[in-house]
Amino acid sequence: MFKMLQMSIAAATLAAVVSPALAQTAPDALVKQASVDVIEAAKTDKAVQAGDPKGVAALVDAKVLPHVNFEVMTRSAVGPKWREATPEQRTKLQAEFKTLLVRVYAGALAQITKDQTVEVKSTQPVSGSTQVVVQSEVRGKGEPIKLDYRLDKFDATWKIIDVNVGGLWLVQNYRSQFAGEISKGGLDGLITTLAARNKS
């Protein structure tokens, strides 16, 4: 399960590192170009290859988070209890969720190999919404890794709100984990658990 989550996080990174010019383009073209850009960067960045948390954190802050609607991702992962969260709790949840994802990025990006390429297969609209799902494959040695990206438009700009690997949606998976923590200790309990996990 953890290995699949790592691949999910890597997928989000591949699709999210985009230039301002790419932000206005079609979602499938965005995924394709962004994937190529970050794969090439990961192949040559020794800090990323080594899984250095500081190097990965700098990458995430500078290039990933501006192109992911992180509030939507955190809100979806927390679920209905998000509506009851105070502004302070929301800030803490986003901070701890970000740290959690950065820790997994470090392991995931270090697994990128020089022979990997990306092929975008199709773009499917999500019925009853402005969202689309871009289907792609990461190809290298062995079987291709199928990746789906859910994107939505915010102020006319496409942003990632979830990633699917092998039938597992990243945010939905965390939502089930977080629900268990919330049922035991409420939102503060979830924050405490995430903080402890991030420090371990």
Side-chain angles (χ1 to χ4, degrees):
M1 179 66 70
F2 182 73
K3 185 77 168 181
M4 186 170 289
L5 285 177
Q6 280 193 324
M7 290 308 301
S8 298
I9 293 294
T13 303
L14 296 182
V17 182
V18 300
S19 67
L22 277 179
Q24 299 299 326
T25 195
D28 54 346
L30 183 152
V31 168
K32 174 64 176 180
Q33 186 59 56
S35 299
V36 171
D37 289 347
V38 78
I39 283 178
E40 293 307 313
K43 288 176 182 178
T44 58
D45 190 321
K46 295 189 181 300
V48 171
Q49 291 174 354
D52 175 41
K54 290 183 178 180
V56 176
L59 171 66
V60 172
D61 284 336
K63 295 185 176 181
V64 177
L65 293 186
H67 308 292
V68 174
N69 193 317
F70 196 71
E71 181 178 346
V72 169
M73 290 185 72
T74 308
R75 184 176 70 210
S76 297
V78 173
K81 288 293 184 180
W82 177 264
R83 293 191 295 269
E84 301 176 17
T86 65
E88 181 181 6
Q89 287 174 322
R90 291 181 179 186
T91 298
K92 289 181 178 179
L93 284 166
Q94 289 190 66
E96 296 299 343
F97 193 34
K98 171 187 170 184
T99 301
L100 174 65
L101 296 183
V102 168
R103 287 169 59 88
V104 184
Y105 274 127
L109 293 181
Q111 297 175 38
I112 294 176
T113 60
K114 293 184 178 181
D115 66 328
Q116 286 181 319
T117 60
V118 176
E119 179 179 345
V120 173
K121 306 295 289 185
S122 67
T123 301
Q124 303 294 331
V126 177
S127 179
S129 75
T130 58
Q131 300 174 9
V132 298
V133 172
V134 177
Q135 299 173 327
S136 72
E137 290 182 349
V138 176
R139 296 184 173 183
K141 294 180 180 178
E143 291 294 317
I145 301 170
K146 295 183 178 181
L147 305 173
D148 293 345
Y149 304 90
R150 186 183 297 270
L151 299 92
D152 204 349
K153 269 192 172 181
F154 301 90
D155 296 325
T157 300
W158 288 104
K159 292 197 175 185
I160 294 168
I161 58 173
D162 208 349
V163 183
N164 183 301
V165 178
L168 176 69
W169 286 103
L170 172 67
V171 172
Q172 290 180 7
N173 183 72
Y174 274 120
R175 183 170 180 167
S176 64
Q177 294 183 35
F178 290 179
E181 296 297 333
I182 292 172
S183 67
K184 291 186 295 184
L187 291 170
D188 286 334
L190 173 60
I191 293 169
T192 300
T193 299
L194 289 175
R197 184 185 303 178
N198 288 332
K199 290 179 181 178
S200 64

